[in-house]
Amino acid sequence: MDQIFNADNRFFRGLSKIIDCVVISFCWFICCVPSITIVFMCVSAANYLLMPLLIPLMVLVGPASSALYYVTVKNIRRSQGYCFREFWNGFRNSFKPAFLAGMVSMGFFLLMLFDTYVVSAYLYDAKIGPVSWIFVVMALFCVMWSINLFAYIARFDDKARVAIKNSLIIGIANLPKSFVQLVITVAVIVGCYLIWPLTFAAMFIVPAILTLIISMVMEKTFRKYMSEEDIASEDEKTRVY
């Protein structure tokens, strides 16, 4: 009986992790809700001319995404610290490089979406044609790069330009893994969009779960570029990897 109500048993540990996922997903959602709203409006109305509205609203997307990865790895995977506090610690510590790098990646992504809209509207009567697919592929490449970018900023203390360069190199050098991360991300986003009655509820747990899955691939990639001293130090502190 004591084991059943023991806070350290598997059930309560699992329940605690689920609650932590909800908390950090909520924190991320609060930071990104203006941008998410505009994106869904554009997709639903098929009017990508609204995309420029994202520019002043995406200030928090980069730092929030880096903080999400940071707290997922530290708290969910390694059981270190308190999720709410660690999220905002990660947000504050990565704000400058994540904001600057996010402006670059989001700017490129929005440009590709806008080009897709213009080309489709004027060359293919509002349908996606061969030229349009070029910009769609480039937009997806930007998403794939951004996944590596914000995870890199969360894990390494570098300036924005260094993070942009290194994350791009790492992503291309490990293209199969980057592609898997992209497929998982797109599948989750499309799934949430198609199952629209559950979309709002999913936003309060899916971001953390998705980040957790991606981190299982990403952390193995990052270890290839870490020194033996850094790996040994991390293993000693976490005893997880």
Side-chain angles (χ1 to χ4, degrees):
M1 184 65 69
D2 291 339
Q3 183 63 26
I4 295 177
F5 295 100
N6 185 356
D8 291 328
N9 66 30
R10 291 185 177 181
F11 173 77
F12 284 108
R13 289 203 304 269
L15 181 61
S16 176
K17 294 296 183 184
I18 293 174
I19 294 173
D20 288 344
C21 286
V22 173
V23 171
I24 62 179
S25 295
F26 178 76
C27 292
W28 179 85
F29 179 76
I30 291 300
C31 294
C32 301
V33 64
S35 298
I36 294 173
T37 302
I38 295 296
V39 169
F40 273 93
M41 287 174 57
C42 293
V43 174
S44 300
N47 184 4
Y48 295 99
L49 292 177
L50 294 175
M51 280 295 181
L53 294 176
L54 275 172
I55 296 176
L57 298 176
M58 66 185 182
V59 175
L60 302 180
V61 174
S65 299
S66 289
L68 178 64
Y69 187 90
Y70 171 82
V71 72
T72 299
V73 172
K74 184 172 183 177
N75 180 261
I76 304 300
R77 292 191 61 181
R78 300 177 181 174
S79 299
Q80 296 179 349
Y82 298 96
C83 61
F84 185 81
R85 183 174 64 189
E86 292 300 334
F87 179 90
W88 296 112
N89 283 341
F91 182 90
R92 182 178 64 254
N93 294 336
S94 66
F95 185 86
K96 184 177 179 180
F99 165 68
L100 295 175
M103 293 291 285
V104 174
S105 63
M106 286 290 290
F108 182 78
F109 176 73
L110 294 179
L111 178 62
M112 293 304 101
L113 288 186
F114 181 76
D115 288 342
T116 302
Y117 171 78
V118 171
V119 170
S120 300
Y122 291 97
L123 295 183
Y124 302 106
D125 296 326
K127 299 179 180 179
I128 297 181
V131 179
S132 303
W133 278 110
I134 296 176
F135 296 110
V136 171
V137 170
M138 293 180 69
L140 291 174
F141 177 82
C142 184
V143 173
M144 183 174 67
W145 164 48
S146 297
I147 295 171
N148 288 276
L149 174 62
F150 296 126
Y152 181 94
I153 292 174
R155 293 289 276 112
F156 303 102
D157 186 17
D158 283 325
K159 294 182 179 179
R161 59 182 178 82
V162 177
I164 291 173
K165 180 189 69 175
N166 289 350
S167 61
L168 185 60
I169 293 173
I170 291 174
I172 295 175
N174 300 272
L175 195 58
K177 291 183 179 180
S178 298
F179 182 73
V180 169
Q181 294 168 175
L182 173 65
V183 171
I184 294 172
T185 301
V186 172
V188 170
I189 293 174
V190 171
C192 289
Y193 177 73
L194 293 179
I195 311 175
W196 62 267
L198 301 178
T199 298
F200 185 76
M203 292 305 301
F204 293 100
I205 193 170
V206 167
I209 299 297
L210 174 60
T211 305
L212 178 62
I213 295 172
I214 288 175
S215 73
M216 294 178 182
V217 180
M218 191 77 74
E219 288 300 300
K220 294 180 180 179
T221 301
F222 284 155
R223 284 175 68 88
K224 294 165 53 178
Y225 301 94
M226 296 170 61
S227 66
E228 293 183 1
E229 292 80 5
D230 289 338
I231 293 176
S233 175
E234 191 168 273
D235 288 345
E236 180 66 25
K237 289 187 296 183
T238 64
R239 298 189 182 276
V240 172
Y241 298 98

